[in-house]
Every structure is written in structure tokens, then in C-alpha cells.
Amino acid sequence: DIQLTQSPSFLSASVGDRVTVTCRASQGISRFLAWYQQRPGKAPKLLIYAASTLQSGVPSRFSGSGSGTEFTLTISSLQPEDFATYYCQHLNSYPFTFGPGTKVDIK
Amino acid sequence: EVQLVESGGDLVQPGGSLRLSCAVSGFTLSDHYMDWVRQAPGKGLEWVGRTRNKAQSYTTEYAASVKGRFTISRDDSKNSLYLQMSGLQTEDTAVYYCARGGTVAGRHYLDLWGRGTLVTVSS
């Protein structure tokens, strides 16, 4: 099975900061990667799919990049509603797995 | 309105069974792959399994942790997805989400999620 790791597991940032989260796969997954946002007590929400395609309705301050085994999620200017936990998920082969998550908290 | 609504979560004893439902509205269920994803209290997301769409004969895939104990089914005429769980263990305690596979990019990314239903396995 393909394992995903995320770094950092936790980060503290201020409104307006540029934030980057990294997701690494244990083997190559081409660009079959998604990013989700989960606010406390809420369901996950798809932000980015196919590594870099912004889901409809998601603000343009979110962007994704990468291929193979290393991927990044970037928030260009952190907004109050962006404080949440972010998960990556690969869809390269079954079973699909999620990364352990990165919690973005208010500094 | 396009939405997914899960139901059926409950307190169940170890070794017991439970069936979760996911009511679908606002889109044609038969066109879509559908997944179940779970989240243990205070933990991350875990993919449980998938049913493909009608065109792919509704075939299924499962995580190793549930294979042989959980079964995903669907009734497109009732706009419903199901997760039949048996041999439940305490580690199956989680919020269970149903999620829709999108129809772009060839990989059916999970573009719509329900709010989840809580399953607690305890004696």
C-alpha cells in the first residue's frame, strides 16, 4: 500500500501569512493527489484535485503543485476561515489512503 | 439541492452489526462512484471503500481493515448508498462519511461529502 506523510503536522500562522504544507508518497503516484480542508466538527471539503486543479468555488489563494512523490499545498495569504486541518489523499491505486493531516492554527 | 445525508449510526456491542445509509439528492446516483470514509474520534481520515458506477457494474473495493466484514451496496432507484458492517470492533468507532466521486480527471476525486454519522462500538 502507498503511504502518505505530511509536514508539518502542526503549524501556527497569522492572517496574511503564506503557508505551505508538504505531502510525500512512499512511491510514485503521478499526479493522482487531492487536498481536503476540514474545519472542526465539519465534513472534509475538496480543495484541489489532480495535484494542481482548483475545485470549483475554492478561492484562488489556494494552489497545489507536485508530481511523483512530493506535493505541496500553498495558501498565499491566510484568511481567518482557513484555520483548519488539511489532508492529502492519493487515488493512484487501491487502497486510497489519506495523509495524517496538518493542523493550521492561529498564532 | 445537491447533498448527501448519512443515517443509521448507533451504539453497538463488539461483534455486532449495523447498516448505515446515505441518502442522495440533486444528482443521478448511477452516474457516480461513491465512497465511505471514516474518522475515529480525534483522529485523521481513513478510506473505507468504494462502489463504482452503473457503467462499471457497481464493483467494489475495500480497505484491508474492513475487507470481509463491511459491504458497500447501493439502490439507485431509491437514491441510496449503504454500508453493511458486521463483526464490529472497538476500533471501528468513528464518524462515517459518504462521499461522491466526481466525474473529472479520470480518478473520481471526492467532491461532495455528507455530514457523517457516528458509530460507537462498546460493551
Side-chain angles (χ1 to χ4, degrees), chain B residues 16-37:
Chain B
S17 299
L18 197 63
R19 188 177 88 155
L20 306 182
S21 300
C22 173
V24 166
S25 57
F27 65 94
T28 302
L29 180 57
S30 61
D31 289 343
H32 288 268
Y33 289 35
M34 298 293 295
D35 287 21
W36 287 95
V37 174

Side-chain angles (χ1 to χ4, degrees), chain A residues 21-95:
Chain A
V21 179
T22 298
C23 176
R24 291 185 174 87
S26 59
Q27 63 190 74
I29 58 170
S30 185
R31 294 175 59 82
F32 300 126
L33 188 98
W35 289 97
Y36 301 90
Q37 176 194 66
Q38 187 178 34
R39 298 187 177 112
K42 301 296 186 181
K45 172 187 173 183
L46 178 64
L47 298 177
I48 289 172
Y49 62 90
S52 62
T53 303
L54 200 64
Q55 171 68 355
S56 176
V58 174
S60 59
R61 63 181 179 272
F62 291 92
S63 63
S65 65
S67 67
T69 61
E70 187 157 333
F71 302 85
T72 59
L73 170 70
T74 299
I75 309 172
S76 60
S77 178
L78 201 64
Q79 298 301 300
E81 59 268 31
D82 301 338
F83 292 95
T85 301
Y86 294 85
Y87 295 94
C88 56
Q89 182 200 23
H90 84 82
L91 287 88
N92 182 74
S93 57
Y94 297 104

Side-chain angles (χ1 to χ4, degrees), chain B residues 69-117:
Chain B
R69 300 188 299 124
F70 289 13
T71 301
I72 298 173
S73 62
R74 57 200 288 167
D75 186 336
D76 292 346
S77 66
K78 294 184 178 179
N79 293 315
S80 292
L81 174 74
Y82 305 102
L83 180 66
Q84 179 68 48
M85 304 183 292
S86 62
L88 283 162
Q89 305 162 0
T90 55
E91 52 265 37
D92 296 316
T93 294
V95 173
Y96 285 74
Y97 297 100
C98 62
R100 183 182 74 175
T103 56
V104 297
R107 272 299 192 271
H108 309 281
Y109 297 92
L110 304 181
D111 66 354
L112 178 69
W113 294 63
R115 293 185 175 183
T117 187

